[in-house]
Amino acid sequence: MKLPTTYAVLLACLSACLFAVTATGCNPAPPATPAAAEATAPPVHIVPLPQSVDVQSGELQVSGAVALEAPEAAPNARRALEELLSTLGLAQDASAAIRIRLQLVDDAALPDEGYRLRVGEGIVLVARTDAGLLHAVQSLRQLLPAQAQPQYRLPRVAITDAPAYSWRGSSVDVARSFLPVEYLEKHIDRMAFFKLNRLHLHLTDDQGWRIEIKRYPKLVEIGGASAVKGGRSGWYTQEELKHLVAYAQARGVTLVPEIDMPGHVQAMLASYNELACDDEDNLSTYDGLEVGFSVLCLSKPDVVYPFVRNVLEEVLAIFPSQEIHIGGDEIKDPLYADFVARTAAMVREMGRTPIAWEEGSVADTGPDLMLQLWNEGYAIDAAVAKGHPLILSPCTYFYIDHGNYAGQPQTYDWCRKEGVPLQRVYSFDPARYPTAVGVEGALWSELVHADATADDRLWPRLAAVAEVAWTPADRRDYAGFVQRLGALRPHLDAMGVRYHPEPDLGWGNRDSGP
Ligand code: TNX
């Protein structure tokens, strides 16, 4: 159909404006290039929003095969790119007209995880590290469709990007209810798609112990067989965990183990009764929902500390993560502060950096102890003044065991009765805390007993966690986020994610969820 000229110009302007809005995350900006050329270019939808996206005129068409150039020193990015090409049915052929080049450069202007991505006559991905290149590949993946097509059209674009925060985390509680290795692999893939880089495994709690410790086999024989009522029991062998560590590493994700102590230890006490005080008569496994009732007998240091050291030695031999979480939440005990200080020192002696939940701030430790904030009401100012780095998981924003909406079945609301909807997660600004290293969305599993339920609670909210951690608040806006994330739905579908059908994204209505 031939449109009258004025309409055609108007339409071209409109789509160019829309496109500019998409590319910049809804910051109204004048189109940089002639409207007519942009009107035909495919849009840029990247989550988390990159530092800068410079859309140029025209597009790059790709079909059949591409020539791939990749340095030996970036094996993970190469593997990710090859996987992407194979998903899209693009062959590798050194003589193909379109070249994709992965390039490592020694450029001090690029932060560790930073990258540049240029789509012009070919595609060039540049970074200082394999991790940076991995992020570049994920951005390229988001510029392309989720599934194979006869031909691909890419916008000509120059992206420069780097994260605001180094800790972009997801924590999963596998202790209350177990998650199988296959689920965690999928979860790591999905995290990597959104450039999340820390998977914190809450491996132990009252209701279960999930990590094989060879020196203390009863921990999994007894503690591994237990779970919250209705939840899944089970445990990971050391081999499985080493496999997961490598799987995650290849995708730019670090697994951070947590052994929660000195409270939240009923599974531990039930397995090795000597860890309890002698007058303690409640030594069976536990499948209820209460917290704060069990504690290691800190007045028996000769029993407790060697046990803790032996466990940590095995944990550290599995997990190369620099940071190791020692728990420390929700327990009142006169020797609590002493326990945190001694255990943190133990981790430090072993060459790692301890993390404790925020209550650990009462311990007399150096400022290198990282604290994970979960309760905004907690007096954290002194710890901040002392310089403790903070991982931010305030429950009113990041406890995604809370509902996607108020009253969602099988969710907690003790921290926020309106639940923690997508927009709420997105509205957090980590810059409120000067020593923040990043943020982490926490999925507790008292009420999350199946993979599909975990998917519903994690997604799409973790995409908001990713953008909060990656993109500074002054560049973010919810409308732009919703538009970009909404467009990535086919990618989530292709990854098999059973996400919450979030109405804000146009993905469904409240009744269509599980
Ligand atoms: C608080 S936050 C807990 C967990 C629970 C969670 C439920 C924190 C460090 N402890 O033990 O699972 O609330 O929302």
Side-chain angles (χ1 to χ4, degrees):
M1 182 179 70
K2 179 134 180 32
L3 289 168
T5 327
T6 35
Y7 279 121
V9 170
L10 239 174
L11 250 182
C13 277
L14 235 177
S15 29
C17 291
L18 264 178
F19 178 40
V21 161
T22 307
T24 60
C26 256
N27 296 329
T33 45
E38 281 193 12
T40 62
V44 176
H45 296 292
I46 297 179
V47 175
L49 181 67
Q51 216 166 56
S52 86
V53 179
D54 179 14
V55 181
Q56 290 141 12
S57 63
E59 63 180 46
L60 177 71
Q61 296 186 356
V62 183
S63 59
V66 293
L68 183 62
E69 244 179 72
E72 299 260 307
N76 295 330
R78 182 189 189 115
R79 187 204 45 79
L81 184 54
E82 287 181 336
E83 212 170 278
L84 174 62
L85 296 179
S86 112
T87 306
L88 297 179
L90 289 167
Q92 283 187 50
D93 174 354
S95 64
I98 306 286
R99 186 163 294 275
I100 305 186
R101 199 166 82 225
L102 290 174
Q103 204 183 342
L104 282 174
V105 292
D106 193 9
D107 178 350
L110 276 168
D112 263 9
E113 293 185 274
Y115 69 90
R116 289 192 287 264
L117 166 62
R118 175 179 289 276
V119 180
E121 297 305 314
I123 301 172
V124 184
L125 302 88
V126 180
R128 251 186 44 216
T129 61
D130 197 6
L133 282 179
L134 266 174
H135 295 323
V137 172
Q138 295 298 353
S139 290
L140 177 62
R141 187 172 162 203
Q142 295 190 358
L143 288 176
L144 286 157
Q147 267 157 355
Q149 320 219 328
Q151 196 197 36
Y152 302 97
R153 299 166 54 225
L154 282 155
R156 294 197 183 224
V157 68
I159 295 173
T160 303
D161 203 5
Y165 290 94
S166 61
W167 194 284
R168 304 182 304 279
S170 158
S171 71
V172 289
D173 171 5
V174 291
R176 271 57 177 263
S177 183
F178 183 71
L179 285 167
V181 170
E182 303 70 49
Y183 185 86
L184 293 181
E185 288 177 354
K186 281 193 281 183
H187 187 54
I188 290 163
D189 291 337
R190 297 158 180 186
M191 287 176 65
F193 183 70
F194 291 107
K195 305 186 179 83
L196 290 160
N197 67 353
R198 292 287 192 288
L199 175 55
H200 164 181
L201 295 175
H202 184 75
L203 288 164
T204 70
D205 213 301
D206 289 315
Q207 297 87 344
W209 182 281
R210 307 292 174 221
I211 171 173
E212 177 188 28
I213 302 294
K214 299 212 168 155
R215 189 161 180 152
Y216 303 117
K218 286 194 287 180
L219 285 170
V220 290
E221 281 162 29
I222 296 173
S226 149
V228 75
K229 196 179 253 98
R232 288 187 288 210
S233 57
W235 50 277
Y236 309 109
T237 65
Q238 295 199 354
E239 280 316 300
E240 285 172 324
L241 289 170
K242 285 182 189 157
H243 157 79
L244 264 184
V245 164
Y247 187 95
Q249 237 165 17
R251 288 153 183 84
V253 176
T254 301
L255 294 194
V256 180
E258 178 188 353
I259 306 297
D260 198 357
M261 305 171 286
H264 289 261
V265 290
Q266 189 63 27
M268 207 171 169
L269 304 184
S271 308
Y272 289 92
N273 296 174
E274 61 271 30
L275 295 169
C277 285
D278 297 340
D279 59 352
E280 180 59 65
D281 54 9
N282 171 20
L283 293 171
S284 35
T285 54
Y286 177 73
D287 67 1
L289 298 176
E290 295 302 312
V291 294
F293 61 90
S294 64
V295 64
L296 296 174
C297 188
L298 301 182
S299 54
K300 294 202 292 194
D302 298 345
V303 178
V304 167
Y305 288 104
F307 196 100
V308 167
R309 175 180 293 277
N310 291 334
V311 167
L312 285 176
E313 268 170 8
E314 292 197 33
V315 171
L316 268 57
I318 300 167
F319 294 95
S321 168
Q322 179 57 38
E323 292 83 14
I324 302 291
H325 207 310
I326 56 172
D329 56 324
E330 297 179 311
I331 196 69
K332 295 253 177 300
D333 188 287
L335 294 171
Y336 168 80
D338 181 52
F339 176 86
V340 173
R342 284 180 73 163
T343 308
M346 218 185 266
V347 170
R348 208 175 293 119
E349 268 165 38
M350 296 174 179
R352 309 293 181 92
T353 304
I355 312 174
W357 292 104
E358 64 194 7
E359 294 96 315
S361 71
V362 299
D364 183 15
T365 68
D368 67 323
L369 172 68
M370 294 175 76
L371 295 171
Q372 184 162 12
L373 179 141
W374 61 278
N375 170 6
E376 283 157 295
Y378 189 81
I380 202 78
D381 290 358
V384 171
K386 206 170 137 193
H388 288 284
L390 292 183
I391 299 164
L392 302 172
S393 302
C395 58
T396 67
Y397 293 88
F398 294 128
Y399 268 28
I400 53 180
D401 60 342
H402 283 51
N404 284 286
Y405 57 93
Q408 181 174 18
Q410 288 296 103
T411 62
Y412 268 147
D413 67 358
W414 64 263
C415 177
R416 191 168 190 268
K417 65 177 182 339
E418 304 87 346
V420 180
L422 183 67
Q423 184 164 13
R424 170 78 185 174
V425 178
Y426 194 76
S427 67
F428 186 75
D429 182 5
R432 277 164 48 187
Y433 297 89
T435 59
V437 295
V439 302
E440 194 173 288
L443 182 67
W444 302 102
S445 62
E446 286 97 330
L447 305 177
V448 178
H449 304 156
D451 294 359
T453 319
D455 272 11
D456 175 275
R457 306 298 184 263
L458 289 163
W459 305 104
R461 289 183 289 182
L462 271 190
V465 173
E467 187 149 311
V468 166
W470 185 278
T471 313
D474 59 0
R475 290 199 24 81
R476 291 196 265 118
D477 72 279
Y478 189 60
F481 170 71
V482 155
Q483 193 193 21
R484 285 176 285 110
L485 181 57
L488 294 176
R489 184 180 191 178
H491 284 85
L492 293 181
D493 287 335
M495 287 188 277
V497 183
R498 281 168 285 178
Y499 44 76
H500 171 67
E502 175 55 52
D504 282 7
L505 298 168
W507 291 359
N509 55 52
R510 297 295 178 219
D511 302 327
S512 46

